[in-house]
Amino acid sequence: MRDGVGLPSSLYLPLTEGPYPVVLIRSAYNRAGMCDEYFPRHGIAVVVQDCRGRYEGEGEFYPFVHEAADGEDTLAWIGSQSWCNGRIGMYGDSYLAATQFALGATGSPLLAALNPRFMSGDCWRRAYYCDGAFSLGLTWSWLCFECASRVSHASAMRLFEVDKLLRTLPLLSLDERSGAGVVPSYRDYVRRSRYDAGWHALNISHTFGQYRAPVLLTGGWYDYYPAETIRMFHGLVSQAPNAELAGAHRLIIGPWTHGVNGASVLGEVDFGEEALRENDATRRWLHGLLTGGVAAEFQAQPVRYFTMGINRWRDARCWPPPGGSMVDFHLREGGRLSRDAAGTTEGCDRYVHDPADPVPTVGGNHSIGPYNPGLYELAKPGPYDQGCIQMRPDVLTYRSDVLQEDTEVTGEVMLELFASTSACDTDFVAKLIDLHPDGRAMNITEGIIRGRFREGIHIAPKLLEPGRVYAFTIDLQVTSMVFKAGHRIGLIVCSSNFPLWDRNLNTGGDPATETRMVKAEQAIWHSAERGSRLRLRIMTG
């Protein structure tokens, strides 16, 4: 690298005569075994590199900060080699996608195609935080076990009673209690509990105008980032320097969590053989664009998405696809979801949020996986029956009437919630669920809002006035789901989802250092003047 640091890189060449196009993979997770032999067997060289400070990479690792410069130096080196024909592509999940974002923004003429998969473009909005709540399980496991030293110690999580450990306070010193010592990146992320210049530096939404290579964005409905994936797609298209590049960007969202699923089953749902049809998209995309093909040959329409419920892939020229409109389902007394707004006589539903006894994570849309042993058993992603949490007194469930016909929801999911609390800060959590005739309640998508960020997650937080009714907007991301005739549309409302997100201790204190907790008496309002409503984009065409 330009500062003398060496980054070991494994090179795989085709047996045919070169020069060749090249696929570059920059990994924080050990380059050994990462080559997909499909590429060299089809005339494309592969370079797999350890990132700075990871495995055999020299220097010190701190998330994200070195990836643009190190990536540029690596591209320049590859481009100068006799076996490279000047066309380089990249792919990879999660942090491997972040290394692509860093390079895409450099506008390097050597880049011919990118395929960032399963990653956020705004790590404050949806990654290490989520609308103000700290992503406890993900951030703790990644920084304290995966990245605290040069190699992964994720297997050491099995040595802990993870649920008990994650309940200890304060959050700031959780790294030491996990045996990792003081982890600077973890402590930085915990301390920076509001949007700041550091988080802005990681927000790539303002960089898309600098991209010069076509991008295939890949996301999963049950990952942490489908809405971010769509936002990035819109940014790439709207900020593209010319119409040709704008028309070359592509988007795929499938029935996956944090990675393309090699099986049709996720959680407790089998999405059928059709779910596997796009599993080779990365190979097709890079092979095509690196060997003279164009994006339209890979995928005629810019957007391909999987509709759950009917388990079918669809294509669209844009997102959201045409033919839908926002429909309000009002929260009503008796746990009803109704197309009709509440009357003046309706009041509120109440429950008590006790941070010492949080609602457990059951399935969901997140990036915790089997690579997080010990944690994964507490927080498996995907669709799971929510019946075990519906029985709790601190969980409210609202149900629509039985659907008389199939009802498709494709697009954003929002909850506009009128609520009050006895605390000066608290959380509200919402889950969209599919209520089956046999009683199963399968989660579709979810969201959270931390009360102090009710006016916007990128502006200064403000504590709540106890007893005052506020309007909260909970972003439940996006989905594409057909609720079958005979089912009901359901909504769960509560105030915790642990250990996916940290517990709001309801004191209004600094989340990094607070150790005191109090119970919060919550009220969800559904009167005419305070009309809480679930907003779904219903397809009509």
Side-chain angles (χ1 to χ4, degrees):
M1 302 297 105
R2 65 192 64 177
D3 60 356
V5 165
L7 300 186
S9 307
S10 299
L11 170 63
Y12 303 82
L13 294 176
L15 297 178
T16 56
E17 186 176 350
Y20 322 98
V22 179
V23 167
L24 169 63
I25 303 167
R26 302 196 62 249
S27 176
Y29 306 124
N30 192 359
R31 75 187 192 281
M34 273 203 171
C35 176
D36 181 350
E37 68 179 32
Y38 169 89
F39 293 109
R41 290 185 182 278
H42 289 80
I44 300 172
V46 175
V47 175
V48 189
Q49 181 180 81
D50 285 330
C51 287
R52 178 182 295 243
R54 296 293 292 151
Y55 289 83
E56 295 182 327
E58 297 176 1
E60 298 298 322
F61 177 78
Y62 191 96
F64 306 107
V65 298
H66 298 290
E67 306 311 342
D70 288 353
E72 271 193 302
D73 291 348
T74 302
L75 283 184
W77 178 80
I78 294 173
S80 69
Q81 303 305 303
S82 60
W83 39 263
C84 176
N85 71 0
R87 295 183 64 79
I88 302 173
M90 298 181 71
Y91 78 96
D93 300 347
S94 199
Y95 196 84
L96 283 69
T99 68
Q100 297 174 66
F101 294 148
L103 269 181
T106 68
S108 171
L110 291 167
L111 284 177
L114 297 173
N115 179 206
R117 310 188 309 191
F118 309 103
M119 186 56 188
S120 178
D122 182 347
C123 289
W124 161 257
R125 183 185 186 113
R126 182 75 64 159
Y128 309 110
Y129 283 82
C130 180
D131 288 352
F134 183 55
S135 296
L136 176 61
L138 165 68
T139 310
W140 166 78
S141 61
W142 189 59
L143 292 176
C144 295
F145 285 89
E146 183 63 53
C147 301
S149 65
R150 306 189 72 82
V151 301
S152 172
H153 293 285
S155 61
M157 277 186 277
R158 296 186 187 276
L159 304 177
F160 294 88
E161 294 182 66
V162 173
D163 182 69
K164 182 177 180 180
L165 177 63
L166 291 179
R167 291 171 186 262
T168 62
L169 297 169
L171 291 180
L172 185 64
S173 55
L174 191 54
D175 51 358
E176 290 185 292
R177 296 193 299 279
S178 303
V182 174
V183 180
S185 55
Y186 172 79
R187 296 207 168 191
D188 287 349
Y189 283 21
V190 174
R191 286 192 184 101
R192 291 164 47 212
S193 60
R194 55 176 291 187
Y195 192 75
D196 60 13
W199 293 119
H200 180 74
L202 298 185
N203 186 345
I204 66 169
S205 62
H206 59 282
T207 69
F208 295 129
Q210 302 165 40
Y211 281 58
R212 297 297 182 269
V215 177
L216 167 63
L217 288 166
T218 303
W221 293 130
Y222 283 98
D223 192 23
Y224 214 174
Y225 316 115
E228 275 294 293
T229 302
I230 290 169
R231 273 191 283 267
M232 288 188 288
F233 176 72
H234 287 157
L236 284 164
V237 172
S238 65
Q239 297 177 39
N242 55 66
E244 180 182 5
L245 183 58
H249 295 311
R250 292 294 184 268
L251 170 68
I252 293 179
I253 302 187
W256 306 314
T257 175
H258 200 53
V260 173
N261 194 1
S264 63
V265 176
L266 179 63
E268 295 177 338
V269 173
D270 189 340
F271 291 105
E273 290 301 308
E274 180 74 0
L276 307 178
R277 184 159 64 88
E278 291 299 322
N279 284 22
D280 66 345
T282 290
R283 291 176 173 179
R284 291 188 289 108
W285 171 257
L286 289 176
H287 185 273
L289 269 68
L290 292 179
T291 58
V294 295
E297 295 170 339
F298 163 77
Q299 184 175 296
Q301 295 285 354
V303 176
R304 179 163 292 169
Y305 63 99
F306 188 86
T307 299
M308 301 177 289
I310 57 171
N311 299 338
R312 185 184 308 159
W313 288 99
R314 269 98 161 264
D315 294 316
R317 66 177 184 270
C318 60
W319 183 272
S325 60
M326 296 304 293
V327 175
D328 293 341
F329 289 80
H330 300 272
L331 280 61
R332 301 289 302 276
E333 63 183 356
R336 292 183 297 140
L337 273 181
S338 172
R339 297 283 188 98
D340 299 321
T344 56
T345 60
E346 292 192 22
C348 64
D349 298 312
R350 298 182 183 274
Y351 63 93
V352 175
H353 163 45
D354 181 1
D357 182 25
V359 178
T361 299
V362 177
N365 314 76
H366 58 80
S367 51
I368 297 167
Y371 35 80
N372 305 123
L375 175 63
Y376 177 64
E377 287 72 21
L378 297 175
K380 292 181 179 179
Y384 286 87
D385 186 2
Q386 304 295 299
C388 57
I389 68 169
Q390 284 182 295
M391 299 173 64
R392 291 175 56 108
D394 55 352
V395 175
L396 303 177
T397 302
Y398 297 88
R399 301 169 175 84
S400 74
D401 292 336
V402 174
L403 299 173
Q404 301 304 306
E405 58 184 10
D406 289 359
T407 302
E408 180 181 342
V409 175
T410 294
E412 67 177 7
V413 180
M414 306 290 293
L415 176 61
E416 295 180 0
L417 191 70
F418 283 87
S420 58
T421 177
S422 62
C424 56
D425 190 35
T426 198
D427 292 349
F428 291 102
V429 172
K431 293 184 180 185
L432 177 68
I433 54 177
D434 179 16
L435 295 168
H436 290 238
D438 61 8
R440 285 176 297 151
M442 308 304 292
N443 53 297
I444 307 301
T445 189
E446 64 197 355
I448 187 171
I449 188 68
R450 181 142 291 178
R452 66 180 74 184
F453 292 98
R454 65 195 177 278
E455 295 183 3
I457 60 174
H458 290 159
I459 63 176
K462 298 178 182 177
L463 294 179
L464 303 168
E465 179 184 331
R468 179 178 173 182
V469 179
Y470 292 94
F472 300 91
T473 299
I474 303 179
D475 179 3
L476 280 73
Q477 295 214 66
V478 290
T479 196
S480 183
M481 173 70 191
V482 171
F483 293 82
K484 303 294 287 184
H487 291 220
R488 299 173 189 258
I489 295 171
L491 174 71
I492 283 176
V493 177
C494 56
S495 288
S496 50
N497 186 341
F498 178 85
L500 178 59
W501 296 309
D502 72 321
R503 300 166 293 169
N504 195 319
L505 305 181
N506 300 327
T507 65
D510 183 346
T513 58
E514 181 65 280
T515 59
R516 184 175 59 93
M517 62 178 73
V518 297
K519 295 180 181 180
E521 298 177 2
Q522 320 286 55
I524 306 302
W525 294 84
H526 41 73
S527 64
E529 298 80 16
R530 298 162 172 171
S532 299
R533 57 180 180 167
L534 174 66
R535 310 206 70 209
L536 303 176
R537 190 171 184 275
I538 303 293
M539 300 300 288
T540 56

